[in-house]
Amino acid sequence: MQFIDFKKSLSLDGIYPIYIISGKELFLIESALSNLIAACEINLPELNITYFDDEAEMQDILDACETLPFCSSRRMVIVKGYNFTPEKIKMLEDSAPTANASTCLVFTSTTLTTCKNVRCVECDSVPNDILYAKVNVDLSRAGYKIEQKALQMLVKYCQGSITHVYSEIEKLKAICSNNTITMENVQEVCVKLDAEFSTYMLTDAIAKKDSDTALDILNRMILNDTHKTLLAYLYTYFRRLFLCSKHKGSDLSLAEKLGIKPSLVTLAKKHAQSIGFDKVANAMHMLHDIDLKVKTTFASLEDELYLFLFYTLK
């Protein structure tokens, strides 16, 4: 089950005896856990909520679930940051069918984990439109607002990580004027236009045929003298586009091979499709030739980057 479906399931399906809330997004994990605690309506939480750390033995955890609640209809056993092994998962699967209905056992883990007979909640990511809406609502409740373009840039900079987005928002709230977060605030505090992020923004602009944005990014990098490592990042990213465009399997399998998030594979495929396979392949060769030319002749890196940009945008 995805995080976005979890809260609705609490009212529709009721409380399950065992949950595993896992994924890379700590913000979503904590949010899901808070929603579950609230739904359980625990009386006297100091007596009816038992916590275990990540090194607890599975049998000790399961034994704790047999304790009956005190002056409450339900109790909880919460295990944060648990390190699952195949043996522990097997013990949990075997115990699930006869689990004590008056106890809600919850595991959280930063490693995505699945288990039979258990309600598993995936906290890896949320779609951008939902993320935009949540940020706007939460900022409004706190008396702030953010420009839409600033929010879009922030989400791109954080690569869709809601945990990273909210971490950056706390910084932005401290420096914005009139409780409004602007594009300038995001560029000043979050987006330093380092080569890695600039590569993503530049490629995104190329894919959208947005020549004004692409030229603005390159101009600012050259002005700030942060463009000298851009060539290597561009080659690496266009190689990713090339590999993703040729891959016929699942995004997850390729993501594991490349050591990146599946969402980045999906994005790379979209970029490659927009730019065109032949142009992506030619761009790789062009970047290789630029590197050789700059190192062996008096060619200007700045001029060569502009030529590369004009080629990919045409």
Side-chain angles (χ1 to χ4, degrees):
M1 170 180 289
Q2 297 294 324
F3 170 82
I4 57 176
D5 302 316
F6 170 65
K7 190 172 183 180
K8 187 184 297 183
S9 77
L10 292 176
S11 57
L12 294 178
D13 304 333
I15 308 297
Y16 274 59
I18 306 175
Y19 288 86
I20 296 178
I21 304 173
S22 64
K24 297 178 182 178
E25 290 285 5
L26 290 174
F27 182 93
L28 296 182
I29 289 173
E30 290 299 322
S31 179
L33 180 58
S34 296
N35 286 332
L36 184 55
I37 292 173
C40 285
E41 299 180 335
I42 304 293
N43 294 327
L44 301 174
E46 63 277 10
L47 297 176
N48 289 307
I49 299 182
T50 302
Y51 290 92
F52 284 94
D53 61 26
D54 58 344
E55 296 181 355
E57 293 295 332
M58 180 60 77
Q59 191 57 58
D60 293 337
I61 296 169
L62 296 177
D63 288 345
C65 294
E66 297 305 313
T67 302
L68 294 175
F70 178 73
C71 295
S72 179
S73 61
R74 195 185 305 274
R75 70 186 304 272
M76 296 186 76
V77 174
I78 299 173
V79 191
K80 287 192 172 186
Y82 200 60
N83 297 313
F84 281 98
T85 63
E87 293 77 15
K88 291 175 180 178
I89 289 177
K90 181 67 167 55
M91 288 179 67
L92 190 60
E93 288 177 343
D94 291 345
S95 69
T98 57
N100 181 2
S102 66
T103 297
C104 179
L105 170 60
V106 191
F107 295 89
T108 70
S109 174
T110 53
T111 301
L112 196 61
T113 306
T114 57
C115 181
K116 295 177 183 177
N117 306 319
V118 170
R119 177 56 64 97
C120 297
V121 183
E122 296 183 13
C123 296
D124 258 0
S125 63
V126 295
N128 281 352
D129 56 341
I130 294 177
L131 179 52
Y132 295 153
K134 179 171 177 53
V135 169
N136 280 318
V137 168
D138 288 346
L139 282 175
S140 178
R141 287 174 177 168
Y144 291 84
K145 59 183 178 179
I146 183 170
E147 295 176 354
Q148 188 63 20
K149 287 188 176 180
L151 178 55
Q152 290 171 350
M153 174 171 276
L154 177 62
V155 171
K156 285 181 179 179
Y157 171 70
C158 297
Q159 297 184 350
S161 167
I162 191 170
T163 305
H164 193 182
V165 166
Y166 273 83
S167 174
E168 295 298 328
I169 282 175
E170 291 306 309
K171 302 176 192 175
L172 292 164
K173 284 161 64 176
I175 61 98
C176 69
S177 301
N178 301 319
N179 286 10
T180 301
I181 299 170
T182 65
M183 177 77 87
E184 288 72 24
N185 296 145
V186 173
Q187 290 174 340
E188 176 188 356
V189 174
C190 308
V191 183
K192 305 299 184 184
L193 277 185
D194 56 71
E196 186 172 9
F197 180 62
S198 295
T199 300
Y200 164 75
M201 292 293 290
L202 192 59
T203 310
D204 189 59
I206 290 170
K208 294 176 180 176
K209 306 297 182 185
D210 186 350
S211 56
D212 290 341
T213 298
L215 283 169
D216 179 63
I217 291 169
L218 184 54
N219 286 336
R220 281 192 288 151
M221 289 193 72
I222 291 173
L223 182 65
N224 297 328
D225 200 33
T226 57
H227 66 291
K228 293 179 180 177
T229 56
L230 180 60
L231 191 62
Y233 280 108
L234 278 171
Y235 181 83
T236 300
Y237 193 73
F238 270 82
R239 181 175 177 274
R240 180 190 296 178
L241 299 190
F242 180 78
L243 293 173
C244 289
S245 63
K246 291 186 66 178
H247 186 70
K248 303 301 181 184
S250 69
D251 291 356
L252 180 60
S253 64
L254 183 57
E256 290 174 349
K257 291 178 182 177
L258 297 178
I260 59 177
K261 292 182 178 180
S263 59
L264 296 182
V265 172
T266 304
L267 181 62
K269 285 183 175 181
K270 290 180 180 178
H271 280 166
Q273 185 176 13
S274 298
I275 296 170
F277 177 79
D278 290 340
K279 186 166 282 189
V280 167
N282 291 336
M284 282 180 57
H285 292 301
M286 189 174 182
L287 289 166
H288 178 272
D289 292 342
I290 290 172
D291 183 54
L292 183 63
K293 190 175 180 180
V294 169
K295 288 177 179 177
T296 58
T297 70
F298 292 102
S300 163
L301 174 60
E302 292 84 353
D303 291 344
E304 295 297 327
L305 286 172
Y306 280 121
L307 288 173
F308 171 79
L309 194 58
F310 295 145
Y311 166 76
T312 52
L313 284 168
K314 71 180 182 180

